């Protein structure tokens, strides 16, 4: 799980071009939108694309997406839940 | 068109140091790679960091130039935003197309698609400046900027107080390669400063963003007056000569009334005959070629207009940029710009000093 969260942080920084942010600056449980990283709706689309490209997970329901993209922790938990045991 | 259209503010990001400082003391920048890239300013002063991380190079160039232009004219909300671009954001277009192939038309990122649309720069200016009025982008190859200029002149004619009028284009390695296959660029590497000494097939590529604020009434700060504009599509040499004579006579002018011609000469011997034809129609008139400063691209006419406007206001030529020219006119009242894009789209722009004496 720790490795996945670390990898996810690197991928988020790259996908959203967060130039002045390092992986260690992102708290696992900090909200990605509004406070925390201060991302917006276009970023949420980019994060959906990230999940599809890197983890082959397609989020169809926007309400589900809101919960998944709450934090790095929630994203990692969702990815893990979708991976074969 | 015989209306009065004044350049009230301007700004440019080009391969030369044109964004800040006094252009009359800026050194000549040259390249030996046949690709003339712009000298980029620090965008952070103009664009919020959260937007900056998302937008691509051409959008940064276009938006920043537009904002700087408005600063220069003291205007923050123009009555209209009218621009021209030949290619739009190539970086985004290429990224989007590569993604389609790589991800087999799935998992496509929306940002490069949104930004690859030609009117993305206009949209960003409108959002940042809260402009909800007329907003239009023309994409007509070598007539793109000139169409935007014509539209702006018509808007001013109809009573609009001011327009933000501009042009932007970029070059990428991939696009340079594509256009090299249809002979746009020289096969041999040429130093841009020596461009006119290398008459051979093709030219050097370039890019840039230039914006103007146009108004219907002059002020003490006005740079120059756009007195006329004419576009000719694939004219014969005879039609070009006739077109020039008609254009000048329309304003009661002849060759002797023109102090300087800014020509789009670019060292390409496939199309040099058009410029030679122009020489015949304008004997004894001083000429300034400008493509060694910015390279060739669809909206390069905006660079020529920017240069001419500066020279008319300052009543001097940035001589350090023109080592190939031995004599410069003492006074500048009227400048004629003649340019064409690979022989297809030909344009004449007549530019006058704001208080030019009547002919």
């Amino acid at each position: 799980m720790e490795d996945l969260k670390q990898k996810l942080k690197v991928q988020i920084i790259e996908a959203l071009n967060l130039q002045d942010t390092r992986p260690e600056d992102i708290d696992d449980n900090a909200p990605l939108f509004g406070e925390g990283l201060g991302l917006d709706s276009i970023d949420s689309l980019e994060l959906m694309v990230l999940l599809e490209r890197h983890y082959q997970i397609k989020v169809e329901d926007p309400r589900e997406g809101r919960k998944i993209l709450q934090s790095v922790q929630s994203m990692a938990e969702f990815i893990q839940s979708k991976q074969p045991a | 068109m015989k209306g009065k259209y004044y350049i009230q503010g301007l700004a440019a990001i080009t391969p030369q140091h044109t964004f800040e400082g006094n252009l009359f003391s800026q050194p000549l920048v040259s390249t030996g790679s046949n690709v003339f890239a712009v000298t980029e300013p620090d965008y952070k002063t103009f664009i919020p960091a959260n937007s900056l991380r998302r937008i691509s190079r051409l959008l940064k160039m276009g938006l920043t130039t537009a904002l700087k232009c408005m600063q220069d004219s003291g205007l923050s909300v123009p009555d209209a935003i009218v621009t021209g671009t030949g290619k739009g954001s190539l970086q985004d277009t290429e990224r989007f197309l590569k993604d389609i192939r790589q991800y087999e038309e799935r998992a496509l990122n929306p940002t490069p698609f949104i930004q690859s649309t030609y009117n993305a720069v206009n949209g960003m200016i409108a959002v940042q400046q809260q402009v909800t009025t007329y907003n239009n982008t023309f994409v007509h190859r070598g007539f793109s900027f000139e169409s935007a200029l014509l539209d702006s002149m018509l808007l001013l004619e109809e009573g609009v107080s001011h327009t933000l009028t501009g042009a932007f284009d970029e070059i990428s390695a991939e696009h340079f390669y594509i256009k090299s296959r249809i002979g746009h660029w020289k096969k041999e590497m040429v130093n841009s400063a020596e461009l006119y000494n290398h008459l051979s097939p093709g030219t050097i590529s370039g890019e840039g963003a230039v914006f103007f604020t146009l108004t219907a009434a002059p002020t003490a700060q006005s740079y120059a007056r756009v007195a006329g504009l004419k576009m000719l599509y694939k004219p014969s040499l005879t039609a070009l000569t006739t077109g020039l004579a008609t254009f000048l006579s329309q304003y009661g002018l002849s060759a002797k009334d023109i102090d300087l011609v800014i020509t789009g000469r670019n060292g390409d011997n496939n199309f040099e005959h058009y410029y030679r034809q122009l020489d015949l129609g304008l004997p004894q008139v001083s000429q300034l070629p400008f493509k060694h400063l910015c390279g060739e691209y669809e909206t390069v006419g905006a660079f020529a207009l920017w240069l001419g406007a500066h020279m008319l206001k300052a009543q001097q030529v940035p001589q350090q940029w023109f080592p190939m020219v031995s004599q410069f006119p003492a006074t500048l009242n009227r400048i004629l710009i003649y340019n064409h894009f690979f022989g297809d789209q030909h344009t004449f722009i007549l530019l006058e000093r704001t208080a030019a004496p009547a002919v």
Side-chain angles (χ1 to χ4, degrees), chain A residues 1-61:
Chain A
M1 184 63 137
E2 287 308 311
D3 285 352
L4 175 59
K5 283 191 279 191
Q6 184 62 21
K7 195 167 129 192
L8 208 43
K9 288 175 187 177
V10 173
Q11 288 167 339
I12 290 171
I13 289 169
E14 195 195 331
L16 305 183
N17 196 22
L18 301 172
Q19 288 161 342
D20 298 325
T21 308
R22 294 165 302 168
E24 54 269 35
D25 297 333
I26 305 175
D27 188 282
D28 292 356
N29 294 298
L32 293 173
F33 296 86
E35 313 155 42
L37 283 184
L39 306 183
D40 60 22
S41 57
I42 296 177
D43 294 316
S44 72
L45 285 171
E46 303 232 19
L47 291 180
M48 298 282 206
V49 172
L50 184 155
L51 288 174
E52 199 174 343
R53 282 187 184 176
H54 294 285
Y55 302 96
Q56 292 72 50
I57 301 171
K58 192 162 184 159
V59 182
E60 304 280 5
D61 183 357

